[in-house]
Amino acid sequence: MLTSTYIHMPRIGAAVEKRIWSNGIRTWDEFMAKKDELLIPPSKKDMIMSGIRESVERLDNRDYGFFARSLPKAEHWRAFREFSDKVAYVDIETTGLSPGSSSITVVGIYDGKEAKTYVKGIDLDDIVDIFPKYKFLVTFNGARFDLPFIKREFPEIEFNQLHADLMYPLRRISLTGGLKNIECELGISRAEETVGISGFDAVRLWRQYERGDEDALDLLLKYNREDIVNLKTIIDLTLSRFIDNKFSECI
């Protein structure tokens, strides 16, 4: 989808992008080949051609920061395929809902192959060195919850990556509600031990662990690992629907 994108280019908005798509031109290569067929001002075409040349160079150089800065945040998902080799699926557990009065207990990070959990009082500080290794973050409600929580406790983490908060593109394809509800709609199952566990239960499990219950921590970590692994399953199942929905807007 990134190579069909124009809205990150200077002075190119969604209306122009849709006009390009409605003419059957999707990719940057197609634009360069068929630009003369487009009924848009020559000056606008020149800006787009310049934008394409820069975008190709930036993509060849794996410059995720360029696209993170220039793409609207709600459209970062468009770059997923191009940067999925350096992706982190992220989910946190906390002692409550407010960053001002609560703290992080667990940060889960899944790179598509290995799921790791970082625990308060054990190795949570390691995330400061871990996050910069990734070019793309995937969360569910992370823009409002997970990343602000992490930023408050670890202000040295920059979060300059591309970030797809799946809650929003999922809404556009009529998948609404919480993460567990969406998993059910997509046919994603959980382990018997974690079925029915909620964020409230995660707080309870942490308190039990603080009182010496190691089994409670094990269950909490299993719950968190399922959250991050299922984020990958969700985007794998729905990315093509995000793209189809975006293109349908120009029909």
Side-chain angles (χ1 to χ4, degrees), residues 179-222:
L179 181 63
K180 312 306 181 295
N181 179 69
I182 290 170
E183 289 174 357
C184 289
E185 290 197 46
L186 292 172
I188 300 170
S189 60
R190 291 202 168 222
E192 184 177 349
E193 306 95 302
T194 61
V195 170
I197 293 181
S198 66
F200 176 81
D201 295 311
V203 175
R204 174 182 55 79
L205 288 169
W206 178 258
R207 289 173 179 165
Q208 288 178 218
Y209 163 66
E210 288 186 311
R211 293 193 294 268
D213 186 347
E214 293 289 338
D215 289 340
L217 179 61
D218 290 342
L219 183 56
L220 176 61
L221 298 185
K222 184 168 187 176

Side-chain angles (χ1 to χ4, degrees), residues 91-95 103-109 115-128 130 153-154 202 205-207 209-210 213-214 216-222 224-225:
D91 184 72
I92 69 171
E93 312 301 338
T94 66
T95 59
S103 61
I104 298 171
T105 57
V106 176
V107 173
I109 298 175
K116 294 185 178 180
T117 48
Y118 301 87
V119 182
K120 180 180 180 180
I122 300 177
D123 57 359
L124 187 60
D125 290 350
D126 290 354
I127 67 171
V128 173
I130 296 298
E153 291 198 28
F154 300 95
L205 288 169
W206 178 258
R207 289 173 179 165
Y209 163 66
E210 288 186 311
D213 186 347
E214 293 289 338
L217 179 61
D218 290 342
L219 183 56
L220 176 61
L221 298 185
K222 184 168 187 176
N224 180 269
R225 288 190 190 100

Side-chain angles (χ1 to χ4, degrees), residues 19 49 55 79 89 95 97 114 142 144 148 160 186 210 212 214 248:
R19 192 183 310 169
M49 288 188 291
S55 297
Y89 303 88
T95 59
L97 297 177
E114 183 179 11
R144 295 191 305 179
N160 58 357
L186 292 172
E210 288 186 311
E214 293 289 338
S248 72

Side-chain angles (χ1 to χ4, degrees), residues 124-129 131-132 150-160:
L124 187 60
D125 290 350
D126 290 354
I127 67 171
V128 173
D129 296 321
F131 271 109
I150 295 172
K151 186 67 175 176
R152 183 181 182 278
E153 291 198 28
F154 300 95
E156 62 270 44
I157 299 177
E158 291 297 329
F159 286 130
N160 58 357

